[in-house]
Structures are given as structure tokens and as C-alpha cells.
Amino acid sequence: MTIATLIAADPLNASHVEALARRHGAELHWHDERAARLRGVGDRLRADMDGMAADVIFHAGGRPALFLADMDSTMIGQECIDELAAEAGVGERVADITERAMRGELDFEGALKERLALLEGLEDAVIDRLLATRIKPNDGARRLVRTLQHHGVRTVLVSGGFTAFADRIGAQLGFDRVVANRLGTVNGKLTGAVDGAIVDGAVKQATLEAERAKVGGPVIAIGDGANDLPMLGAADLGIAYRAKPKVAAAADARLDHAPLDALLWIFDIAREDWLTD
């Protein structure tokens, strides 16, 4: 990859970026005051960006055929199971398990089963309330997905969370397909288990491969937790979003500063062609 796109939440320091381009003999193109492309650079550019509040993404240019995204703490700012746990009065206990699982310290399937068991008996009506009051998309999520879809990119939301949330969030953001776990319910209450097979890291990767077989490549994937690693590793470009250390270290690129829609810069979609949020 010889293209490096610098993206930031705030305007980039123009003189700093221009100096970087000269130092690395790169062709500089400004997309926007918050985004610049350097063509003809190597990975050594990262070392020169220490202290800059900007993300650098090395890529091949052009648009993907397929975009896959995790949901909790990626497309939305919350972990839905933690929100359910707070309603059930076991919030701190479940949040601790969630954090350790996302860091890769616990087996995902075992951690999910343990957390769900603590939710047995919770009324499923709380899901509607949470969706209305607590569950919110991350900045730029809807604009990113809708713009990609408008430009012919297939979009898939693949989550270790639950269809009760993911189906509605997926529709709200504009995803073509949603893959997630189904919460078991009986008489309006959670059973404390998943209804059917568990969507874990292996299922996320399998979903990517099945979708790639339909549309071809390149494939872009984004996520934040350890169960996203198989999917990120199988993608042509795997992006860690505000990710846990293990994921940030393994991913091809990181988005730590800029909002989600800033990824549109790396796909060569001009700002005037972005859809409204």
C-alpha cells in the first residue's frame, strides 16, 4: 500500500502535513482541512506522526465492494448487554465480564452465556425503552453506511449482540443485511440464553467470506473487540475503531480520533457526494 490518508476530527496542521510530504517524498492532495492523502509513502510515516491528533490509514485506494461492521461500541456507542444488565441490577458485574471478553481475556461464547444467565427473567419491554433513550449511533455512522450503499457498496452489520437491537439499528443506519444473536424469550421475559447458534468471531469471519463470494472484493471491516479479530484479519483492510489494545495492535489501521464518516475519504468519495446523516 503506497497511499496514506490522514484524517482527524479537527483541522490538520497544514504546515506539519506539508513537511511530512516533503520528508517522505510524497505527493500531497488535500481532500478537506481534516483529510489529506499522501501518495508514495511507507509505513515509516507512522513514527513521524507521534503527537498528532490524527489517524493514518494505509490503503490501495478506490472503493470496496463490501463493508462489514461490528455494532456495539463501533456503530453505536454502547454495549447493549451492559445496558440490559443495568436494568436487571447486575450492571457492574456484567460490564466487567464484557470488558474482559472484548480485551480477549475471556472466551467470547462462555462470557456471553455467563452474562446472559444473569439476565434471566428481565422483561423484554426494556429493549424498546433502551433503544429510545440510551442506544445511540456513533458520530458519522449513518452517513458512512448510507453513502457507501449509495455508491454501490454492500453493507453488512455483523454483531455478537442481539437482533432485538441490531435489526432496528441496522435499519436505522441503512445496512443491507444484519447478522446477530437472537435473545431467548418466553412470556415477555428473557430466558437467559441465546435462541440458536451463537454469533462469535468465527461466525463473523464466515459471514465475511460468504459475502465476499457473492460480491468479490475488496472487503473493508471495522470493529473494536477481540471477537472482531477473525473478521478484521480476513478483510483486505481491517480497521480498529477506538479499539481494545489487542485489537488495535493487530488491525491494519486504527480510527482513534476521526468520526466514522471520515472513512469516506479513503474511498475517494468527494465531500459533496456524502449523504446527509
Side-chain angles (χ1 to χ4, degrees):
M1 295 182 182
T2 60
I3 300 174
T5 296
L6 311 185
I7 49 180
D10 299 312
L12 290 162
N13 183 317
S15 61
H16 193 167
V17 174
E18 290 164 1
L20 283 174
R22 290 193 298 272
R23 187 178 308 137
H24 292 271
E27 172 191 319
L28 173 62
H29 170 78
W30 285 95
H31 291 292
D32 179 84
E33 62 181 1
R34 297 173 296 116
R37 181 186 66 208
L38 279 68
R39 183 182 295 274
V41 295
D43 192 63
R44 67 188 188 281
L45 175 68
R46 294 184 194 275
D48 286 343
M49 291 190 59
D50 286 347
M52 285 185 66
D55 303 304
V56 56
I57 297 181
F58 292 89
H59 58 101
R63 298 172 192 169
L66 177 64
F67 174 77
L68 291 95
D70 172 52
M71 181 178 72
D72 296 76
S73 297
T74 302
M75 288 291 112
I76 62 174
Q78 301 74 38
E79 292 284 338
C80 291
I81 195 167
D82 291 358
E83 299 298 332
L84 288 170
E87 295 287 331
V90 290
E92 290 187 8
R93 184 174 176 186
V94 168
D96 177 67
I97 299 171
T98 299
E99 178 68 15
R100 292 168 63 200
M102 292 302 97
R103 287 181 175 273
E105 298 170 4
L106 300 174
D107 169 70
F108 178 80
E109 181 174 344
L112 180 61
K113 289 179 177 178
E114 181 180 356
R115 287 175 290 169
L116 278 176
L118 296 170
L119 304 183
E120 182 178 0
L122 181 66
E123 293 186 358
D124 63 6
V126 303
I127 293 172
D128 287 338
R129 184 166 70 251
L130 289 173
L131 282 163
T133 62
R134 289 285 301 147
I135 307 302
K136 305 297 179 185
N138 275 323
D139 189 17
R142 188 165 185 263
R143 182 179 291 113
L144 169 65
V145 176
R146 291 182 68 240
T147 302
L148 288 176
Q149 187 183 62
H150 178 74
H151 287 275
V153 180
R154 180 162 171 78
T155 58
V156 181
L157 184 67
V158 55
S159 172
F162 310 111
T163 55
F165 294 95
D167 284 347
R168 289 165 65 176
I169 291 165
Q172 177 186 356
L173 298 181
F175 280 92
D176 293 307
R177 181 188 177 194
V178 173
V179 178
N181 294 299
R182 188 171 298 278
L183 278 170
T185 60
V186 173
N187 298 325
K189 295 185 177 182
L190 303 190
T191 64
V194 166
D195 183 6
I198 289 177
V199 177
D200 59 7
V203 172
K204 289 191 174 193
Q205 181 179 352
T207 300
L208 183 151
E209 299 295 0
E211 290 286 345
R212 193 205 307 262
K214 297 176 186 176
V215 302
V219 179
I220 307 296
I222 188 168
D224 74 298
N227 65 321
D228 296 314
L229 283 171
M231 175 177 74
L232 299 182
D236 295 282
L237 179 64
I239 302 171
Y241 177 81
R242 315 294 199 265
K244 305 301 183 287
K246 183 177 181 179
V247 182
D252 298 316
R254 296 164 55 175
L255 197 66
D256 294 327
H257 301 92
L260 284 164
D261 57 358
L263 290 175
L264 293 169
W265 295 123
I266 74 172
F267 305 138
D268 294 327
I269 300 176
R271 183 67 181 84
E272 57 266 26
D273 293 328
W274 297 11
L275 273 63
T276 56
D277 207 345

